[in-house]
Amino acid sequence: MEGMKKWTIYAVCLLFVCASMGCKKKGSQEEQPIVKEEVTQDIGIIGTQTQGTGTIAMVEIPEKIPEEIAVINTKFGQMKIRFFENDAPNHVQNFKNLAKQGFYNNTTFHRVIPGFMIQGGDPNTKDDDRLNDGLGGPGSTVRAEFNSHSHQRGIVSMARSSDPNSAGSQFFICVAPATFLDKQYTVFGEVVSGMEVADKIVSVPRDPQDNPLEKVDMTVTVMQK
């Protein structure tokens, strides 16, 4: 009888320890990576999907350095972008880091909508499978930095999914005012030269998914102003 009591106490203690430590049943499913769904709304909201672990990037912002600009080269010409360092410092640094690593080179503008914007920066666009265009990213995201800049013609802003903190690498350039996006997407720069290039890109023939029939790829460099 005494032995039965000891085993009962032992079993109860074991159950308590397992509950405290979050013991999993044998064969239980492990935690799966977060996959964000593409957002599609009637107003043509900017959608993107980031595949990975859902990690928020810890962007290291260097001490004061000479002002830098981004230069986007395409077959239609060149666009120069001035950054809003003070208003979206983490997004600016994330974009710069990716550009300096060559991440954007040979990606395309995979979504162009006249009267609205051109969108690019997805690594999936480097291959010939159009079905995955718009679904890729760098594997990490940046927390939202919504600010007072309005989405006017020439504004450069980050694409994201329904999660405000899901911006990764995809960005868009407004070719017309899109103020309904204000304080919902992080504006981090503006085109200061070459908007005629964006106008040419947004006017190319495109498929039903607004993807140009002929690829419009880019190279992106960052240089001192």
Side-chain angles (χ1 to χ4, degrees):
M1 190 67 177
E2 187 67 27
M4 287 286 291
K5 289 182 178 179
K6 289 181 178 180
W7 277 109
T8 301
I9 294 171
Y10 175 77
V12 171
C13 290
L14 181 61
L15 287 172
F16 178 78
V17 171
C18 281
S20 300
M21 296 180 65
C23 294
K24 292 186 174 67
K25 293 181 180 180
K26 185 177 181 180
S28 64
Q29 187 176 6
E30 296 295 332
E31 183 178 356
Q32 296 299 312
I34 297 172
V35 178
K36 295 179 173 59
E37 299 296 332
E38 183 177 9
V39 179
T40 304
Q41 296 184 9
D42 291 339
I43 59 175
I45 212 73
I46 309 300
T48 183
Q49 178 176 345
T50 302
Q51 295 180 339
T53 60
T55 303
I56 299 293
M58 299 299 291
V59 181
E60 183 177 349
I61 302 175
E63 295 182 4
K64 186 69 176 179
I65 58 175
E67 184 177 355
E68 295 178 316
I69 61 171
V71 179
I72 301 177
N73 284 291
T74 76
K75 63 183 179 181
F76 293 109
Q78 184 181 90
M79 292 178 282
K80 293 182 179 180
I81 296 172
R82 177 173 72 92
F83 294 114
F84 297 146
E85 303 268 5
N86 295 329
D87 301 306
N90 292 300
H91 282 72
V92 169
Q93 195 58 48
N94 178 65
F95 186 91
K96 286 183 179 182
N97 289 345
L98 293 174
K100 290 176 180 179
Q101 294 165 15
F103 181 92
Y104 288 115
N105 295 342
N106 300 316
T107 62
T108 75
F109 285 100
H110 63 273
R111 189 178 180 214
V112 300
I113 303 178
F116 185 19
M117 58 87 214
I118 59 175
Q119 181 176 337
D122 178 2
N124 289 352
T125 61
K126 294 181 181 182
D127 61 30
D128 293 324
D129 180 7
R130 286 175 172 264
L131 296 178
N132 65 12
D133 289 2
L135 304 180
S140 61
T141 57
V142 183
R143 289 190 182 280
E145 295 175 300
F146 303 148
N147 51 59
S148 61
H149 291 285
S150 182
H151 286 77
Q152 300 295 327
R153 174 175 164 83
I155 281 295
V156 186
S157 190
M158 288 298 288
R160 64 170 178 82
S161 72
S162 57
D163 179 358
N165 300 315
S166 61
S169 61
Q170 294 187 44
F171 65 95
F172 61 97
I173 300 173
C174 296
V175 297
T179 56
F180 57 90
L181 301 179
D182 290 357
K183 296 186 178 180
Q184 299 183 61
Y185 293 81
T186 298
V187 174
F188 69 97
E190 66 177 345
V191 176
V192 293
S193 174
M195 271 305 293
E196 69 278 3
V197 175
D199 291 333
K200 292 177 182 178
I201 294 173
V202 81
S203 300
V204 300
R206 61 195 194 281
D207 65 20
Q209 285 70 50
D210 298 314
N211 200 335
L213 297 180
E214 294 186 9
K215 284 191 172 188
V216 181
D217 57 13
M218 71 180 86
T219 60
V220 182
T221 57
V222 174
M223 61 181 63
Q224 290 186 12
K225 184 176 178 181

